[in-house]
Amino acid sequence: VRSLHGNVVQAGLHHGRQVLHIDRVLHMNWAEPMNHWLVHHDWIGNALAGYYVVMHLGTTSLTLLVLWIHGPNYRYHRNVLILSSLVGLGVYWLYPTAPPRLIGSSFHDTVAAALPFAYKVETARANLYAAVPSLHMAWAVWVAIAVWSITSRWWLRALAILHPIVTAVTVLATGNHYTFDLITGAALTATGYVIYDAGAWLANR
């Protein structure tokens, strides 16, 4: 997807500055002060960097496994996850966006400083210009919805809700996303469920 968009670096940096401007105009530019605060709290920065690297794929994979074992709801939630992710990929192609850590010196790259090996792997394998929408937030919200739907245990539901909250704090503070990204990421998952349910309803008519 990154290679399909001509000069993705130039476009990504331009769009990143646009999104940062939107955050500032709407008075929801929380990434900047959180990132500056994190620079002076190394142990918290290291913990959030670890959460960023491990929990995004880790909780999503674990949730898929639990859904598969659980049985009835697996295909439904899996298909919504795939649908939402494909829509996200389409947006990355049409509107590549650099994360805050790549648009200028005002942001500190916490993950690169705390976990350089993980950063190198991401740089080599991932699309660096895929900030909008935030799949970190989209997948975290998906995890919360999926886990909530298959258990009535209060502590599991509490952990499910906590995950997108911690994810939001993590990606903002580490300079990996803008607030606008989180809003669009959450909306992406919600829209995925609406579209899939509507399609299933139409197919059964």
Side-chain angles (χ1 to χ4, degrees):
V1 169
R2 177 171 57 180
S3 66
L4 292 174
H5 193 286
N7 191 344
V8 70
V9 177
Q10 182 178 353
L13 292 173
H14 176 65
H15 294 156
R17 295 186 183 102
Q18 284 183 338
V19 175
L20 179 60
H21 178 68
I22 291 172
D23 273 9
R24 287 171 173 170
V25 168
L26 296 178
H27 303 289
M28 58 182 192
N29 177 30
W30 302 321
E32 219 163 0
M34 290 172 68
N35 182 255
H36 294 167
W37 180 87
L38 196 64
V39 171
H40 304 291
H41 298 81
D42 289 342
W43 71 271
I44 300 177
N46 293 340
L48 292 184
Y51 197 93
Y52 175 84
V53 170
V54 175
M55 298 303 283
H56 175 50
L57 291 176
T59 55
T60 305
S61 301
L62 179 60
T63 302
L64 280 169
L65 177 61
V66 170
L67 287 169
W68 180 71
I69 294 171
H70 189 268
N73 297 312
Y74 169 70
R75 289 187 178 182
Y76 171 60
H77 291 292
R78 179 205 61 189
N79 291 347
V80 170
L81 178 67
I82 293 172
L83 173 63
S84 301
S85 300
L86 289 175
V87 173
L89 287 175
V91 177
Y92 299 155
W93 172 45
L94 296 171
Y95 193 77
T97 307
R101 61 186 174 82
L102 292 183
I103 66 170
S105 58
S106 62
F107 286 93
H108 178 71
D109 196 336
T110 306
V111 176
L115 300 170
F117 173 75
Y119 176 78
K120 289 178 181 178
V121 171
E122 181 186 28
T123 301
R125 300 296 181 185
N127 185 356
L128 300 181
Y129 304 95
V132 179
S134 168
L135 279 191
H136 280 84
M137 193 62 183
W139 287 12
V141 171
W142 175 87
V143 167
I145 293 172
V147 171
W148 186 283
S149 73
I150 62 173
T151 183
S152 58
R153 296 179 181 178
W154 69 267
W155 62 274
L156 284 175
R157 286 185 165 185
L159 287 175
I161 296 300
L162 186 62
H163 176 53
I165 295 172
V166 176
T167 296
V169 171
T170 297
V171 297
L172 287 173
T174 58
N176 279 284
H177 282 289
Y178 313 90
T179 308
F180 182 78
D181 306 349
L182 305 188
I183 295 171
T184 53
L188 176 64
T189 295
T191 303
Y193 276 101
V194 170
I195 292 174
Y196 190 81
D197 287 343
W201 179 78
L202 289 172
N204 292 326
R205 289 195 67 186

